[in-house]
Amino acid sequence: MKAIVIKCFGKPEDTFQTIELPIPSLNDNEVLIKVKATSINPIDYKIRSGHLPHLVPSFPAILHGDVSGIVEKTGANVREFQVGDPVYGCIGGVIGIDGALAEYTKADYRLLSKMPNGIDFTEAAAIPLVGITAYEAIFQRANIQSGQKVLIYGGVGGVGHLGIQFAKALEAEVYATVSSEQQAAIVKELGADYTIDYKKETVQEFVKKHTDGKGFDVVFDTIGNQNLKKSFEAVKRKGTIVTTLSLDTIDLSPVHEKALAFHTVYMIIPILYNDEAGKQEHGEILRHISELVGKGKVKPLTDPHIFNIEQIAQAHSYAETGKNIGKVVISL
């Protein structure tokens, strides 16, 4: 089979190569997938560039965790899937586990779900990593209740745009940060009740405007790191903050002073540590997401620029600019 690999760290144009590899053999808990599409997450280009060397698969490395495709073969223990089933999931691309940049890939069946009805392979490939991340944040960590005021930082981001839709599915009142009128229109279409242009309004201004100065019940911060200072300011006393990125030095005294519930999400833990229960949970989450998509309550946001596998370097370069709206998808 043909596979796109990296043999060193560096820029997109200097790293990706096409080589021939054997089609993967399966263990009893794996399925073989004919890859139809994948998408780019920040972890993918951070691994490729060398910023996360501890997560790289052994060279030559096949990157990209997100995959959608068709089941070609199943292991002895697999009962949930049959040959020909369209499936999707976040399967690897880290620490020696091959990813989706190949004609075929294998995956632990517990990390997969059948694809949602009503969307194609490119849309499905945009969901897994960001969908599981947003699901864990909104449904599990935040424990959102109907009518709560929920602020989501990064409304058109991969995680943020699904966070909006999950929060609305729980009947929350959703506020999303944007940086342009175009972004505001998109998040409104996704279901946000109110938009906040963070370039034009300070935290103090929009907290006063939307909460009478009390603060939001829940803040979902998909920007993280130093932006957490703004989240601490925006949340109410005894409120909840969930972040996807907390890899910086920051003063946590507001967490104590406001008696906040403070949670982090790191969805690749089951893959990193071969956590069987965690893998099973990922499959269950994806099945629930599939139901929400099938009912029309959730729709993935993909950037208008759709790349093919021969354009993988261009796709990575584009994703790294941060100019994309929604997920950058690659079709095979």
Side-chain angles (χ1 to χ4, degrees):
M1 69 173 186
K2 291 183 179 179
I4 307 295
V5 302
I6 63 169
K7 297 182 178 180
C8 62
F9 300 126
K11 297 179 180 179
E13 62 272 20
D14 299 329
T15 51
F16 287 112
Q17 301 178 39
T18 302
I19 66 173
E20 288 285 335
L21 289 174
I23 292 175
S25 57
L26 305 181
N27 69 30
D28 290 346
N29 291 323
E30 292 176 330
V31 299
L32 182 68
I33 301 170
K34 171 66 174 175
V35 179
K36 290 293 187 179
T38 183
S39 67
I40 300 176
N41 296 294
I43 192 174
D44 300 317
Y45 55 72
K46 289 177 181 178
I47 290 174
R48 188 219 71 236
S49 63
H51 286 103
L52 298 173
H54 62 294
L55 292 181
V56 70
S58 56
F59 292 129
I62 303 176
L63 303 183
H64 284 221
D66 282 343
V67 67
S68 65
I70 298 172
V71 174
E72 290 278 322
K73 187 178 180 181
T74 62
N77 293 339
V78 179
R79 299 290 183 269
E80 286 80 353
F81 305 105
Q82 306 294 326
V83 172
D85 283 344
V87 295
Y88 74 134
C90 184
I91 61 167
V94 295
I95 57 165
I97 304 171
D98 287 341
L101 289 180
E103 289 183 281
Y104 296 91
T105 190
K106 65 179 181 178
D108 189 309
Y109 79 93
R110 292 165 291 193
L111 292 169
L112 301 171
S113 169
K114 291 182 182 178
M115 271 177 43
N117 294 325
I119 63 173
D120 60 25
F121 286 105
T122 55
E123 291 176 303
I127 294 174
L129 186 148
V130 295
I132 294 169
T133 299
Y135 188 100
E136 288 186 0
I138 297 298
F139 282 94
Q140 297 177 343
R141 305 293 196 277
N143 191 27
I144 288 172
Q145 305 299 307
S146 176
Q148 283 187 315
K149 292 178 181 286
V150 178
L151 171 64
I152 296 179
Y153 273 105
V156 297
V159 176
H161 87 276
L162 289 173
I164 290 170
Q165 296 174 80
F166 293 160
K168 286 306 299 179
L170 293 171
E171 300 181 340
E173 188 172 282
V174 179
Y175 302 74
T177 66
V178 297
S179 61
S180 68
E181 291 184 3
Q182 178 196 16
Q183 291 186 4
I186 290 170
V187 299
K188 280 278 194 176
E189 188 175 343
L190 292 172
D193 298 289
Y194 301 93
T195 62
I196 297 166
D197 190 329
Y198 65 87
K199 292 184 176 180
K200 296 180 179 179
E201 290 185 276
T202 66
V203 175
Q204 187 176 17
E205 287 171 341
F206 68 69
V207 166
K208 182 178 180 181
K209 176 180 177 182
H210 294 295
T211 73
D212 294 324
K214 296 176 182 178
F216 295 89
D217 297 294
V218 176
V219 177
F220 181 25
D221 191 342
T222 71
I223 311 300
N225 290 339
Q226 291 301 310
N227 196 70
L228 282 169
K229 296 177 182 177
K230 297 179 181 178
S231 296
F232 297 156
E233 188 178 353
V235 73
K236 74 175 187 180
R237 289 189 295 274
K238 295 187 177 181
T240 299
I241 292 176
V242 186
T243 181
T244 59
L245 195 61
S246 52
L247 300 173
D248 207 347
T249 301
I250 191 166
D251 178 11
L252 292 178
S253 60
V255 176
H256 177 77
E257 291 165 358
K258 283 188 167 183
L260 304 178
F262 181 48
H263 302 274
T264 62
V265 175
Y266 191 39
M267 67 77 61
I268 66 169
I269 281 178
I271 299 171
L272 291 180
Y273 299 104
N274 194 28
D275 178 353
E276 294 189 3
K279 291 179 182 180
Q280 191 75 37
E281 184 181 36
H282 277 196
E284 292 169 358
I285 288 171
L286 286 174
R287 285 189 285 277
H288 189 195
I289 293 174
S290 291
E291 291 175 8
L292 293 171
V293 173
K295 292 177 180 178
K297 294 185 177 182
V298 171
K299 182 175 177 58
L301 178 65
T302 58
D303 190 88
H305 298 82
I306 302 293
F307 297 87
N308 61 44
I309 193 62
E310 287 78 21
Q311 298 170 310
I312 186 62
Q314 296 98 305
H316 266 239
S317 295
Y318 177 63
E320 286 183 274
T321 67
K323 295 179 180 179
N324 53 296
I325 300 293
K327 293 295 295 295
V328 177
V329 179
I330 299 100
S331 63
L332 280 79

